[in-house]
DNA sequence: TGAACATATGAACAAGTATTCATATAAGGA
DNA sequence: TCCTTATATGAATACTTGTTCATATGTTCA
């Protein structure tokens, strides 16, 4: 237990447990890494994108197929596919006019499945 | 290959591969479940909350400690702790004025670690 | 070459959300 | 009881982001 007299200007209160804060502070991963991590979860934390990913678990699909499947217009799907592509979660191949998207990462299915397990245990 | 003459009013294009769409449509988890799943990832897809969770991996902490550790004011942390509490990811115990937060879910650390593995493999 | 179509993309708009500020609540100590 | 302090919370603000609309690009086919 370690209190200082004046409240801290940063957080607006005193440090109650300086020893714990110091210990945890050292063990915490770098900000940079944690930001990347939260960005990754942000990508899969969207209902449209998570549906696209689940669809691609089953089969590669073209933009038009996905749009029809999800009952959304082509533009919205195309925008979201770009997000997934930029994040390295999907890749594509072109065949004439048609662009086929598929998964580009083995871990993603694993992580989504873990999420489902989490939900089922709550 | 299966084209209809007029473009589809829903997605603004024709279905290219009706067979695939039908197959995937049957295999896709229920909307309800996928929404819950994306909500879960949305919770951990925030830099402040992911820092809080990582901090709590190491030790239970009071609100003030977390605020000081993350260099944020008490109110912001309190709001985010409520989000995490509502999602069932953290729990708390009271000791006088002080409220101690800790993890309330075993799967979360696992999932975050998987996320880190994903990042390191990219 | 021109029409049709699959996809991409920029801009605008709408909706959601994280943080701040002010203040309330509740507990401890003088 | 009054003062201090730890936490919670409602409202306002600022920011982020998903979707739509209009349009551009690029390919096929007649």
């Amino acid at each position: 237990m370690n209190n200082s007299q004046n409240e801290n200007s940063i957080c607006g209160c005193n440090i109650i447990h300086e020893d714990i804060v110091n210990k945890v502070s050292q063990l915490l991963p770098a900000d940079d890494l944690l930001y990347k991590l939260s960005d990754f979860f942000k990508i899969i934390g969207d209902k449209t994108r998570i549906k696209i990913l689940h669809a691609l678990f089953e089969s590669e699909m073209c933009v038009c197929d996905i749009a029809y499947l999800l009952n959304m217009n082509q533009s919205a799907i195309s925008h979201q596919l770009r997000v997934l592509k930029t994040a390295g979660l999907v890749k594509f191949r072109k065949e004439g006019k048609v662009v086929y998207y598929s998964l580009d990462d083995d871990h993603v299915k694993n992580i989504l499945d873990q999420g489902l397990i989490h939900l089922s245990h709550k």
Side-chain angles (χ1 to χ4, degrees), chain A residues 3-68:
Chain A
N3 296 6
S4 55
Q5 198 68 317
N6 305 317
E7 71 174 25
N8 194 293
S9 61
I10 301 165
C11 61
C13 53
N14 300 302
I15 318 173
I16 309 289
H17 311 89
E18 211 173 290
D19 49 343
I20 291 180
V21 172
N22 287 336
K23 182 190 130 199
V24 173
S25 177
Q26 291 178 342
L27 294 170
L28 216 57
D31 271 27
D32 178 56
L33 187 60
L34 290 181
Y35 291 172
K36 283 181 187 161
L37 189 58
S38 65
D39 281 345
F40 166 67
F41 287 120
K42 207 170 290 176
I43 299 282
I44 59 179
D46 174 83
K47 62 179 164 44
T48 300
R49 288 191 293 266
I50 216 165
K51 276 187 178 181
I52 294 176
L53 289 173
H54 270 91
L56 297 183
F57 288 161
E58 307 301 337
S59 170
E60 79 168 7
M61 296 179 87
C62 72
V63 179
C64 185
D65 289 343
I66 299 173
Y68 182 81

